Amino acid sequence: MEDERRREIGLFRYALIRPAIEPGLSKAERGWLVRAVAEAEHLGPDGRLVRVGRSTLDDWIRAYREDGFE
């Protein structure tokens, strides 16, 4: 059960950062996308609406680039 929960959280995070990790984006385009995601509410893996801060999104992007989805 814990593995399934962790997978749901990972998929949620990936869904939020996916547009910003597309190859070919400029830094300005990436920044705009991340700011837009940070300003919106999202349905979290537990069904509640959540906001994710810009620095958290930047951390998730950095972690994805270093380690991939796992």
Side-chain angles (χ1 to χ4, degrees), residues 9-65:
I9 291 170
L11 288 170
F12 169 74
R13 292 177 179 182
Y14 179 75
L16 292 184
I17 66 166
R18 195 183 70 67
I21 59 174
E22 289 294 320
L25 287 177
S26 69
K27 285 186 178 185
E29 291 169 323
R30 184 171 291 106
W32 182 86
L33 284 168
V34 172
R35 281 190 296 280
V37 171
E39 291 173 0
E41 286 188 324
H42 308 278
L43 189 60
D46 61 358
R48 293 183 292 164
L49 288 176
V50 296
R51 285 186 183 251
V52 179
R54 168 79 193 258
S55 62
T56 299
L57 292 166
D58 289 339
D59 290 344
W60 292 351
I61 290 168
R62 201 169 12 265
Y64 178 81
R65 286 185 178 150

